[in-house]
Structure formats: structure tokens, C-alpha cells
Amino acid sequence: MRTPGPDAAARPGASTGEGDLRSSVPDLRLAGMAVATWLAALAGLHLTTRPTLLVAVVAGGTAVTCGLHLAGVLGRPSAPARRYGWVVVAALIGVVCGASATAARLAVRDAAPVRALVEADAVVTAELVVRDDPRPVRGAPGRPAILLVATRSTGVTGGDGRRVEASVRVLVLASDPGWRGLLPGQRLTARGRLAPPRGGDLTAAVLSAVGPPGLHGAPPWSQRAAGTLRAGLQRACAPLPDEPGGLLPGLVVGDTSRLLPTVEEDFLATGMTHLNAVSGSNVAIVVGAVLLIARWARAGPWLAAGLCGVALVGFVILVRPSPSVVRAATMGAIGLAALAAGRPRAALPALAAGVTVLVLVDPELAGDAGFALSVLATGGLLLLAPRWRDALRRRRVPAGFAEALAVPAAAQLACAPVVAGISGTISLVAVPANLLAVPAIAPATVLGVAAAALSPVFPPGAEFLAWLASWPAWWLVTVARHGAELPAGTLPWPDGAPGALLLGALTVAMLVATRHPVVRRLVTVVAVAVVLGALPVRLVAPGWPPATWVVAACAVGQGDAVVLPVAPGRAVVVDAGPDPGAVDACLRGLDVREVPLLVVSHFHVDHTGGVAGVFRGRRVGAVLVPSWPEPAAGRDLVRATAAAGSAEVVTAPAGWRYRAGAVELTLVGPPYPLRGTRSDPNNNSLMLLATVAGVRVLLAGDAETEEQRALLDHPPPGGLRAQVLKVAHHGSAYQDPAFLDAVRPTVALVPVGAGNTYGHPNPAVLGRLTRGGARVLRTDTDGDVAVVGGSGLAVVVRGLRPGNQRR
């Protein structure tokens, strides 16, 4: 039997057990450095160069002092002080690195020549390189869609002809179609006016581009190859239904151009939003499939790691190596690379090193929500999932089921603070929804990648693979839809940074506290008591839509969409708002599956832009439109959509009547065509007097003072008195006081968009309605609103859904 040598007692940890303690305590030095680097870069993005450098200097001096103390130069610290002291030193070094890297980038961003052009609002010609795919954003109704193009400038020429060498980031705002379809790496020139950025990132200027870009050369071969494969995947998905066909390219390659807004909102509500774009999980699935094949072929660890690396590079080329994709690839490959090399315990240090390197290379990632989600999800899978899996297995849970429970729960708990900060809600269905989604993610991703790779050489085969992939994609859409519809699926939470930090602090406190058995039992009892106490209240509380509702105004942004119930599952819809996704989501929430009549009050885009959303998955019997044919764009959109949906388009004069189920409609205005007014389309809006279950509802379209006075001169039989008024033109100032007095509503509904630039609704108009005894409800603050009939009128508000606070 071998015995320790005579110097065994002198070896550190031989008699004190320190070595055993070190082996059981994870090395947190790299983790501390990564977190400190991240936080220092994040703080630096909101500061100027000098304060950021000052932070670096102070942290550097403190690190040197602590290091000398731990090394025994300034004293002899105890063993625990040495063990945790080096973590503090590593964190201070991280502060130095993060602050220094960010300060260097801020100095470039704030260079005097570029800043002078920005402050002068100069018109310049910029030489740019595209950094990422152009992203469309919703503009105001009636205005062209805006594209956001992230670029890097190589030079800027001012109006006086002087050229400034400037390698800074420029965000381009463009509306010309020539900006669509640009690939990263494309060199171009653009002319426009410079404006200051919003701050909080490394963008030096915002360029409002005029006209199309001037292209110079072709993008890199890798981007062209990726573009070919992505276009092939889109073609393969074109024959598929809208929901799975729009999700599949986003799930596989991050292309969300066809993703329906309703699907996006459902994924956000159920905590599945990470599936809408390329993330570390996508990378892990692709590389994991290669690793599984390599292990099945009995390849060695280093050969398997090499094959995984080749697959990783190919996948990054496919989805385009933008900064977000590179970040996702780094996070997703860390754990698999460690496993392939046979050192799973190296995964956490590798994660910390990856975070540090990525933030130092691009400090702007420190403020990117996608980066935070990738890091937190990977960290949760490495730190929490194995412990929870083992704990479940000790309680005799089958191994596969324990793994399936632990992985989504760990990822969701780690990402919950960021998701809560983005959405303003906490999802109670996120873990079961992600658990149900797990079996479908890998098949959809692998089949989608195979379809993209096959599309250039064998399109029919690519379409077949895309069809196969659409079935797991359909399952994901179904899980998200039903999860979002649960009455107690989400709870409100403060949004923004305060909400994220609050939930993050509570999560960390809970994880630390539950390490003690007594606290763990107490937390379990309290959590069960809260759920059993609160959940029944939420389930028995009036749901949506409320019983005996007679009219609902949808929160569709700056536009109108009003719903009158005909029978269960059927309703008359008046106007469609500016966005198909918003009106579709509202109708789904009201469980409207058939629309016997769609009324378009007039052809402005804030009433017609969402008409396709009314037809989405529903049969529409007929479309009533005004005789006034302008604007032509809205008229053509309505007629084309109705033709595609096999719905008849009709016009009718004043006095026309319609009846279906519980709804009776009378067309009361305009009493005659109005010309030469402030806005002829508005003043020829169809005005409807509806009776629903005995409640009179006046729907005033966008009628302004001229049409309102004409209606006062030619009132309908029975007068204008109505219990509910849909206030004309989003509550604008163009209201006739005598008209409001003649209606004298009990409830006034104001469909209006949050933060609109038109000054809607007018405070004086709201004040007059309130003084007249009306309860005023606004969709920009109350969300979807409904009026309930019965023994007396009541109102129910649904609140703003994530994503429907549109301008």
C-alpha cells in the first residue's frame, strides 16, 4: 500500500482539505471577468470617452493593489481570501478591458470631423459597406415603409466637396425599393442628410437617404452563396400555408420576411420568441446532428470536433455571418465543442471566454437583447439544467423525461428577466410550451437546412423537404397559439431595464435561497399557495370576449377596426386598421371565424391597410364600400383582396339596411356626396347606425365637421341619439359640437394609435364628451375595448397586448 511521502503535509491542501474544496468549487475567475467586461462595456455605451477611461484607470489601480496583496507583497491573506480575491482581481481586469475597449470605440464614434457634419445636419455623400440585412419597420399610415440598414462608412463627402475619412457605423433610413435585398458586405454610395443617433450604441450618425444606393462591385462570395440558398428556401416554402411557411425560414436561417405578426405575438406571449430567429439552439441542433453522426461512426473526439467546426462554418455562411449570427454560433457551439473534445467541465470557462472576446471585439453587443438571451440561455443550460436533471433522476424520474423537463425550464428561467423587460409580461406557460415545442425544433431545423442546401440543384426535392418540415413548424405555431390564448397564461410585469433587473434579482435570490432545504420547502409551499389562490380567480374572472358584448373596438394602432357580434363565431367588421396582423389578432381574440359583412368606411390606409387580416382564415360574405373612389391605392387594395377571397364588393345609398343575427345596420351618411371639403374622402365616410341586442351604436368613420353638419340637416328616422359612439377620425379636433350633443353617448370609443404625430385625440373633444356624461375609452391606453349590454351598459378593457402599441 502506497503511503504519502514525508513532504505530504507541506503540500497545499494535503492536510486541510483545500484541494478537495477547490475541486468542488467552480473556478469563477473567467466568469467574473466576463460579467465585469460586459457591464463595463454596457455602462461605457451610455457615457462619453473620458468617464469610461476614468473607470478603466480606477479599476486598473485597484486590481494592481489587490493582486499585490494576494501575492503576499502587501500582507499574508487567508486561504479563503486568496481563493475569492483572485475572482475580484479578474473582475477588475474585466472592467479595465471592457471600459478601455469601449472608450476606444467611443473615441472613433465621436471623432470631431464626423460630429461636426452631424451637428450641422449636413447633406453628404457617404461611402458605405452594408453590415447586416435591411430591416423593414412600420411607418405611419399612408407613408412609405422605412428600411433600416446598418452600415459602416469608409468616407463622407460634405456639400463643400471636402472628404472626411471616417470608419464609423452609420444607420441608414431609406424608403427607395433599391435598398431592399442588399447583402452584407455590399459596397455602395448614398446621398442624404445626417442626423444625430439616439445614443446607447456605437452608431455615429443616422443618414436619411435620398433615392437608391449606388452599388460598387458585388458582395462577397459567401454572402452571394447564402443569398442563393436563402432564396431557394423561400421558394420551397412558398406553396406552404402562411403560418408554418412564414415561420420555417425564420426558424432555419433567421429570415422573418414572411412571418405573420400574429405568430410573432403568440411566440412572444408564450416565451418561444427565441425560435423566431437564428439562435444558439439552432447552431447546437445542426452541429449536434453532425456530432451524433460522428459518434455513431466512432470518430475520435478531435475528428468529431473538426467535423462540428466544418458544419458550424457552413451553417454560418448559410444564415449570413452577421454579428448576431456570429454571436449565436459562438454561444451555441461552446457546449458542444467542449463535449466533442471530451471535456464537458470546460464549457463554463469557454462560455465566459467567448463572452469576453465577443464584447471586446464589439462592445455594442453588451446592449443587445439577443446577445443577452443567447448568453443567459447557454449559461442556464450549463449551470442549472444538469443539476435539475440529476435531482429529478434521484427522485426516480425517467432519464429522458428529466432531461426534457430540465432543459427548457433552465433556459426559460435564465432568459425570463430579459423577456420580461422586452414584453412587460411574465409567461406562466413558457416552460410547458417550450417543453411541448422541443420535439419539433430539431426536425424542422434539420429538414429546413437540407431543403435550403438542396434548392439550387433539385428544387422539387427541396419543396418536398420543406413540406416535411412544415409539419413540425405547424406544431410550433399550434403550441404558441393555444398557449397565448390561455386566460392565465401571462402576468403583467414592469417593462424595460427596471423590470428586467427586478426579476433578475428575484431569480438570483430565489436560486441562492433554495439551496437550503428549509427555504426550498417554504418557497415551494408559498408558490403553490399563490398559484392555487390566484389562478382560480383569473380563470373564473370574465374572459375575453366578455359575455353579452355588443361592440368591440380593436387596438390596431392609428386606425379603425370595430366589431359587431352577429352570433357565436360570426361578426360584422367595420374597417380593418392599417396592419393585417393587428386586426387578425383582434378577431382571433374575439373568436370571429366568419365575417358576413365587412364595411370599409373610406379608402384611407388607416382603414384599409389591414383588410387582408380580416380575410386571413375567414370567409367574408360581402364588402360594403363607399361610392367616393379615392384614394385609389386603398380602393384597389380592397377590391383585389375581396376578389382573392371571393367576396362581393357592393355600394349602397343612404337609408340602406342590413340585418344578420343580432345586428341591424342602417347606412345614415353621407346623406349626399360632399365635394370641396377639407378632406373629401373623410367627409364621404360611410356612417352607420347599428342596433345590437337593443343597444344603439353610431359608427362615424372619419367624418369631419362638414359631413356631421350635413347629417344634422338630414337626420335619419329616429334621430342620431345612440348609447355608444365610435368617435369620428380618432377624436380629431374636427368635430361639430352640435353633432356630439345630438348623439349624447353613454360610452365613447376612440380608436387611436399611441404616440401618433397628428395630435389625436383632441383633449377639448374628450373633455366635451366627458362633460356630457360619456365614459371615454381609448385603444392607445386601454387596448381592445368592449361594451357589454344586458340590464345596463358596462365596459371591459383587455389591455395592450405585446406588440400592439403601434403608432
Side-chain angles (χ1 to χ4, degrees):
M1 180 175 177
R2 187 173 180 178
T3 59
D7 59 342
R11 291 196 302 268
S15 60
T16 62
E18 185 179 343
D20 296 335
L21 181 62
R22 286 178 177 176
S23 64
S24 63
V25 177
D27 190 343
L28 299 178
R29 287 174 295 184
L30 277 175
M33 177 182 289
V35 172
T37 302
W38 190 349
L39 294 178
L42 180 61
L45 292 174
H46 296 275
L47 300 174
T48 57
T49 305
R50 289 184 178 179
T52 307
L53 281 176
L54 180 61
V55 170
V57 171
V58 172
T62 307
V64 171
T65 303
C66 292
L68 292 175
H69 176 67
L70 294 173
V73 177
L74 301 179
R76 296 184 59 83
S78 62
R82 287 199 305 273
R83 185 166 57 251
Y84 294 108
W86 287 115
V87 177
V88 174
V89 171
L92 291 171
I93 294 174
V95 172
V96 174
C97 296
S100 300
T102 308
R105 304 297 287 272
L106 291 176
V108 174
R109 183 196 71 179
D110 299 333
V114 177
R115 171 169 287 191
L117 292 172
V118 171
E119 292 176 349
D121 292 333
V123 176
V124 301
T125 300
E127 301 166 14
L128 306 171
V129 180
V130 178
R131 297 179 53 243
D132 207 345
D133 295 306
R135 294 186 295 112
V137 295
R138 291 187 180 94
R143 299 178 184 176
I146 301 297
L147 291 171
L148 300 182
V149 188
T151 67
R152 175 178 55 84
S153 73
T154 57
V156 178
T157 303
D160 56 1
R162 288 187 296 180
R163 187 177 188 276
V164 176
E165 297 287 344
S167 181
V168 295
R169 296 184 181 182
V170 176
L171 179 65
V172 179
L173 305 182
S175 58
D176 191 279
W179 290 87
R180 295 183 180 273
L182 293 178
L183 299 177
Q186 175 69 61
R187 294 183 173 273
L188 55 89
T189 56
R191 182 172 176 80
R193 185 178 298 276
L194 291 179
R198 64 178 182 178
D201 55 26
L202 296 178
T203 302
V206 176
L207 177 69
S208 297
V210 178
L215 305 182
H216 301 287
W221 70 267
S222 60
Q223 300 292 357
R224 296 198 302 272
T228 300
L229 295 177
R230 291 162 68 95
L233 179 61
Q234 280 285 10
R235 288 192 298 271
C237 294
L240 302 176
D242 288 343
E243 291 183 335
L247 173 64
L248 191 58
L251 181 69
V252 176
V253 297
D255 184 356
T256 58
S257 58
R258 285 186 56 204
L259 182 66
L260 298 182
T262 52
V263 176
E264 186 176 5
E265 292 174 7
D266 290 345
F267 273 51
L268 182 62
T270 53
M272 297 167 60
T273 188
H274 58 92
L275 300 178
N276 291 347
V278 175
S279 66
S281 62
N282 301 79
V283 178
I285 289 170
V286 174
V287 180
V290 174
L291 178 61
L292 184 63
I293 295 173
R295 291 286 175 85
W296 176 78
R298 298 184 179 181
W302 291 110
L303 177 58
L307 293 174
C308 289
V310 173
L312 177 61
V313 172
F315 184 70
V316 169
I317 291 176
L318 171 64
V319 299
R320 296 183 181 169
S322 62
S324 60
V325 173
V326 173
R327 172 258 301 163
T330 303
M331 295 299 105
I334 282 171
L336 285 171
L339 291 174
R343 300 185 60 188
R345 293 189 62 182
L348 182 59
L351 172 63
V355 170
T356 303
V357 171
L358 286 172
V359 171
L360 292 180
V361 171
D362 186 5
E364 193 172 86
L365 288 175
D368 183 78
F371 177 72
L373 287 172
S374 290
V375 175
L376 291 175
T378 307
L381 296 179
L382 294 176
L383 295 176
L384 302 178
R387 297 183 180 184
W388 293 358
R389 176 201 60 203
D390 295 342
L392 290 172
R393 294 185 64 180
R394 286 195 297 269
R395 288 165 175 77
R396 299 182 180 180
V397 176
F401 191 60
E403 188 87 26
L405 282 175
V407 168
Q412 182 59 37
L413 183 67
C415 295
V418 176
V419 175
I422 295 173
S423 64
T425 59
I426 297 178
S427 177
L428 300 182
V429 300
V431 172
N434 279 276
L435 176 61
L436 291 173
V438 165
I441 298 173
T445 302
V446 173
L447 288 170
V449 171
L454 193 60
S455 61
V457 295
F458 189 40
E463 291 185 7
F464 175 73
L465 291 175
W467 177 79
L468 291 177
S470 70
W471 289 100
W474 169 84
W475 173 250
L476 296 174
V477 171
T478 302
V479 169
R481 178 190 299 123
H482 289 291
E485 291 174 351
L486 290 177
T490 58
L491 296 175
W493 190 262
D495 59 1
L501 292 175
L502 175 61
L503 185 58
L506 292 176
T507 302
V508 172
M510 182 187 70
L511 290 174
V512 172
T514 53
R515 293 174 65 89
H516 302 281
V518 175
V519 177
R520 185 163 58 245
R521 295 189 185 98
L522 179 62
V523 169
T524 302
V525 171
V526 171
V528 171
V530 168
V531 170
L532 293 179
L535 189 58
V537 174
R538 291 180 61 85
L539 291 175
V540 302
W544 187 265
T548 68
W549 65 287
V550 296
V551 59
C554 298
V556 292
Q558 183 66 11
D560 274 19
V562 179
V563 187
L564 306 171
V566 170
R570 303 176 69 227
V572 171
V573 178
V574 182
D575 289 324
D579 177 26
V583 69
D584 179 37
C586 180
L587 294 178
R588 285 198 298 130
L590 294 168
D591 195 27
V592 175
R593 300 181 297 276
E594 182 180 347
V595 179
L597 179 67
L598 168 63
V599 181
V600 177
S601 65
H602 63 296
F603 292 124
H604 278 156
V605 71
D606 55 336
H607 295 249
T608 62
V611 66
V614 179
F615 282 80
R616 187 176 293 162
R618 300 176 188 87
R619 190 184 74 82
V620 179
V623 181
L624 176 65
V625 299
S627 300
W628 195 265
E630 299 174 351
R635 178 197 64 205
D636 295 343
L637 173 63
V638 171
R639 292 187 177 275
T641 306
S646 301
E648 181 184 7
V649 177
V650 298
T651 59
W656 176 83
R657 292 179 178 273
Y658 173 86
R659 181 168 186 171
V663 175
E664 295 182 14
L665 291 178
T666 302
L667 182 61
V668 297
Y672 52 85
L674 297 169
R675 294 180 174 85
T677 66
R678 199 192 71 87
S679 172
D680 286 349
N682 285 344
N683 282 304
N684 285 277
S685 292
L686 299 183
M687 295 181 65
L688 298 168
L689 187 59
T691 302
V692 186
V695 178
R696 284 168 63 92
V697 182
L698 181 61
L699 306 173
D702 271 7
E704 298 181 350
T705 53
E706 293 90 340
E707 185 176 358
Q708 294 174 10
R709 289 168 185 164
L711 202 59
L712 288 172
D713 295 336
H714 301 78
L720 292 174
R721 177 77 173 92
Q723 294 148 289
V724 180
L725 170 66
K726 197 291 297 184
V727 181
H729 203 182
H730 322 296
S732 78
Y734 300 104
Q735 312 281 340
D736 190 302
F739 176 81
L740 298 179
D741 293 342
V743 180
R744 203 166 69 256
T746 303
V747 178
L749 306 178
V750 186
V752 63
N756 68 87
T757 58
Y758 306 102
H760 299 162
N762 181 266
V765 171
L766 299 185
R768 187 177 188 90
L769 288 167
T770 302
R771 289 191 299 273
R775 169 76 182 276
V776 178
L777 298 174
R778 303 167 44 170
T779 60
D780 61 337
T781 56
D782 299 314
D784 298 337
V785 298
V787 179
V788 178
S791 57
L793 287 187
V795 295
V796 178
V797 300
R798 190 184 188 191
L800 292 170
R801 304 183 306 276
N804 72 350
Q805 302 96 323
R806 297 182 177 90
R807 294 182 179 271

